[in-house]
Amino acid sequence: EVQLVESGGGSAQPGESLRLSCVASGFTFEDSGMHWVRQVPGKGLEWVGGISWNSAGIVYGDSMKGRVTVSRDNAKRSVFLEIRSLRPDDAAMYYCAKDLGGFVTTDLQHWGRGTRVAVSS
Amino acid sequence: QTVVTQEPSLTVSPGGTVTLTCASSTGPVTSSFYPNWIQQRPGQAPRALIYSTTNRHPWTPARFSGSVLGDKAVLTVSGVQPEDEAVYYCALYFGGAPVVFGGGTRLTVL
């Protein structure tokens, strides 16, 4: 069974940085592209970025580009999202998702349950 | 800025058929946009339903079907069940932006 478990969320202050993690199991992680998607409470889905199986392809969505870094550690079956210069409007649920293939495509096949980030002073 | 547009809300009776659409601000949606459909039930994480226009995932019920009709991607739900009440998102591919979500359609089964 595919499982994606996000962690690292919590409360932070504006201007701080946060590193979210997603640990994967139940599939060949080193062959899979991975994504981060966020959702502000009561709002829609917003794609944050994705990373290919070998980290050679990393793509970011426009809204957070320049403030986020997606990375992965295949040995630890983990993908990470670093968010810098946090703003109040970054408060959201952050989901990790597995791509159907090894690259960053539109096909987000499996989703985790998310980790919540709150930003306030 | 690329915008993907969906109906904000639709209502369908149990057992009925409903069609959800997904349009692009750049022009007609074709299979080259690799339309995906994602379901999010209240209080739950998103779940993928359809990828690359027409393909169901192994867990997707057969009553869900995807297509491109006219200039939009379309999700058709036939024989709607109460558990289909959810928000449905489409996602399209735009070259440098591999994933752009629509605003979602809230489907009410009533």
Side-chain angles (χ1 to χ4, degrees):
Chain A
E1 178 193 3
V2 171
Q3 288 201 337
L4 299 168
V5 180
E6 301 92 337
S7 63
S11 295
Q13 294 191 341
E16 292 184 339
S17 296
L18 212 55
R19 191 190 196 212
L20 308 182
S21 300
C22 170
V23 177
S25 61
F27 63 98
T28 308
F29 180 78
E30 60 266 31
D31 289 345
S32 298
M34 299 296 294
H35 300 255
W36 286 96
V37 176
R38 71 176 181 175
Q39 185 174 37
V40 172
K43 302 297 184 182
L45 302 175
E46 181 180 30
W47 185 71
V48 176
I51 185 168
S52 65
W53 65 279
N54 60 355
S55 302
I58 302 175
V59 191
Y60 298 103
D62 288 341
S63 65
M64 299 188 79
K65 192 181 295 185
R67 291 195 303 121
V68 295
T69 300
V70 178
S71 60
R72 66 188 294 160
D73 184 336
N74 286 347
K76 295 182 178 178
R77 304 182 61 83
S78 297
V79 61
F80 308 100
L81 176 67
E82 180 188 17
I83 311 172
R84 300 176 294 279
S85 303
L86 276 161
R87 308 189 302 221
D89 61 0
D90 291 325
M93 182 73 83
Y94 286 77
Y95 294 102
C96 162
K98 171 194 174 301
D99 199 282
L100 186 64
F103 300 94
V104 181
T105 74
T106 316
D107 304 335
L108 279 65
Q109 181 188 31
H110 292 281
W111 295 65
R113 295 190 175 187
T115 186
R116 187 167 295 282
V117 171
V119 183
S120 69
S121 53
Chain B
Q1 184 181 357
T2 303
V3 177
V4 177
T5 301
Q6 301 181 243
E7 298 87 357
S9 64
L10 292 170
T11 301
V12 62
S13 300
T17 296
V18 65
T19 298
L20 290 69
T21 69
C22 177
S24 165
S25 62
T26 65
V29 175
T30 68
S31 58
S32 297
F33 286 73
Y34 304 99
N36 274 246
W37 292 93
I38 297 113
Q39 178 191 63
Q40 188 174 33
R41 291 175 173 145
Q44 295 188 13
R47 181 177 76 143
L49 288 179
I50 300 286
Y51 66 98
S52 295
T53 309
T54 62
N55 299 283
R56 296 185 193 91
H57 290 284
W59 52 83
T60 303
R63 62 182 180 273
F64 291 90
S65 62
S67 62
V68 169
L69 287 177
D71 56 1
K72 298 180 182 179
V74 170
L75 176 70
T76 302
V77 189
S78 305
V80 170
Q81 301 297 306
E83 61 265 29
D84 298 335
E85 186 159 291
V87 179
Y88 292 84
Y89 296 93
C90 69
L92 300 179
Y93 172 84
F94 288 94
V99 185
V100 179
F101 290 106
T105 296
R106 182 174 302 277
L107 182 66
T108 301
V109 181
L110 203 59

